[in-house]
Structure formats: structure tokens, C-alpha cells
Amino acid sequence: MIIHNNFTGGNISVKEINGDTVVLKNELRDTEGTWFYWAFCVEGAEGRTITFQMEPTRLGYWGPAVSYDLAEWRWLDSIDGDSFTYSFAENESKVYFAHNMLYHPNRFEELCKKHDLEISTLCTSRKGRIVPCLHIGNGKNSIIITARHHACESTGNYVLEGIIEEISRSPIENSTLLIVPFVDYDGVVDGDQGKNRIPHDHNRDYIDEPIYPEIRAIKSYADINGCNYGFDLHSPYHKGRQNNNIFIVRNMVEKLDRFDKISSLLEAEITDGSMKYQKENDYPPLTGWNQPSSNFGFTMNSRPECILAFTLESTYFGSPDNKVSQERLIELGRCYARAIKKYIKSNE
Ligand SMILES: [Zn+2]
């Protein structure tokens, strides 16, 4: 049996193997403090039943996310404290396990192919990778949509997939879009936590001299084209309380009436197949961690031409009556895109 992290998004350190019990630890790398992301692959365990022992606060409510191909993910739906046990069938030569349902960059490429969208280059990353982006439309409203400012927060990419599907079917009128699906692209590929990087992470880099090329590129795009609307996609903390919900981070007291409007529109668009969203779960400004900072939402929302910019947080696991799946997050994205279209139209 081999346990490894040698794949896109991989993150694990094997501490001990005692017979059929494996003790694992996630890799924090350059994270300040602790964080919870991990993803590993098991090969050559056909026919065996193995218990994987994690550290506390590393497993969600439904146990690990499980995949054979890094594309389709399901929950194991079995957990025992900080460990889970998996019986490998005779034909299961390679199984992936992760904290959450990963979103592979290949999936984004296939989505673009399907909708005939040409992938452009945002910039070259610190590690020399080409960071992808999309330019869509050519209208007066400049809209910037981003995901993965924090590398591990993959739920936002499923929401973005739904947004792209919906706007491919029915474009946002009078708009020019920049879409950056993986802002911390190196972190996404390498399987970093991405949150609370030292000295600061991508979503605290909207400063005069950004240290990440991706943020320099997004900032200068906004300086040239403006940012009338900014929609940033994140996953919240691991789990518990508001982290089990879908919620908007209302980042500015002065714009609460605008937040009320888009929240009501989103609530009204939610379908049975979508993750549920209730505006009462939105996070109020100047509360707890929601303070003015050099993040995308607050910085863009502070620009004079900006009507509204903020983060939508989408839970990793959900709750028993609102459980995360790939399809339910994607459908949330379709609902969200319709709400965005109505909101922009109402401001014309
Ligand atoms: Zn985040």
C-alpha cells in the first residue's frame, strides 16, 4: 500500500503505519497557525480494510470526500471521531480521499471547451505557471469574478461553474467580465492551505505593492477597466455555526441597502436542486472577523466606481437538510448568476 500526495491538490504527511491503521497529519507548509486541508491518494490496498487516523478538526460531518478520478466526488458518510475506515474493493487500486470535494483545473478547462470559451492568461505565477482567466463580453459594466484567493477553498469553483453555465446560456447584458477561477493557482496545484500564508495570503494582498503577481494583475485590471461589480467566492472555516451555511459577507455599513437587495434576489432564485441560502445568514459588517482589510471584497467595494463587491461563502459540508454535493453547489452558482443579472439590470 502506498499513501501519497503526488497529484494536483495533494497534501498529506504519513506519520505511522501500524498494520491496518495509518496515522496522518496534514501539511501546513507556510501557513501561520493551523488549518485543516488535506488530500491523499491510496494505491495498492485492494481487498484491505484500513483505518485512517487524522488529527482533531480535520474531518467534516460526513467523513472524507472520496474519488477515483479527482473529478467525481462523493462523501464516505462514515466517521468515527477523528478517524475513518475504508474497505477497498478488489478492483479499487487507486482511491483519493480529501477534507472536501476538490476542484481540478482540468474540470475548468473542460467546462470552457464545452461552452466554447477561450482561456486567456492573467499572469505568470511566482512558480512560473500560466494563471488562467476568462474575458467575456464587451459592455459598459466591468465585472470581476474570482475564486480561490485561498487555495484550499474549492467549493467556490463549483459555484463558479454554475455561474459560467448560466451566463453562457444567457449573458449578463452590457457587461465586460474578468473571471479568475484560481487566484492562488500555485497553491491550488500544489495542494497548499493558502489561508493565512506568511507574511500574508492572497486575500490580504490588495495593498499598494502586492507581493503576488495574480493580485498585481487583478488590481491593475481594475485600475484600467474599473470594477463596477466584484463577486468573490470562498469557503468559510472548516465547520460549525455560520460555516455550515451559504452566506454573503456584508462588508460595508454604507451599502447595507444594496446587500439587502442582492440577498433578496438570490433568496428568490434558489431552486430545489440548489444549496439553500437564506439572507438572514449573511454576515454583518464590523462583526467578528468581518472588518475592513486589504481583501478583494472590501478593496473593490471601496473604489469610487464600484456599486457592490463582496464575498459569497459556500460551506464545505453543509448540514443534514442542506448537504453539499458537487451538483448542488453548481446549481447554487446558476441561481446566483440569475440574481446577479437581475441586480445589475435593476441599477441600469
Ligand atoms: Zn477564503
Side-chain angles (χ1 to χ4, degrees), residues 35 149-150 153 195 201 203 232-236 311 313 316:
W35 210 247
H149 274 93
H150 296 135
E153 299 178 1
K195 177 81 176 175
D201 65 43
N203 206 31
D232 191 22
L233 300 161
H234 284 247
S235 314
T311 290
E313 300 271 1
Y316 287 112

Side-chain angles (χ1 to χ4, degrees), residues 9 34 52 59 66 150 183 195 222 228 242 246 293 325 329 342:
T34 189
F52 299 94
L59 283 170
V66 184
H150 296 135
V183 174
K195 177 81 176 175
N228 302 115
Q242 77 269 9
I246 306 297
S293 84
S325 70
L329 287 168
K342 286 187 176 169

Side-chain angles (χ1 to χ4, degrees), residues 217-228:
I218 294 169
K219 262 192 86 195
S220 72
Y221 178 90
D223 287 342
I224 294 164
N225 301 281
C227 176
N228 302 115

Side-chain angles (χ1 to χ4, degrees), residues 324-344:
V324 163
S325 70
Q326 293 173 298
E327 183 46 40
R328 297 188 72 223
L329 287 168
I330 293 166
E331 176 64 6
L332 171 66
R334 296 184 194 110
C335 301
Y336 188 33
R338 289 196 294 275
I340 287 171
K341 274 188 272 190
K342 286 187 176 169
Y343 181 73
I344 292 174

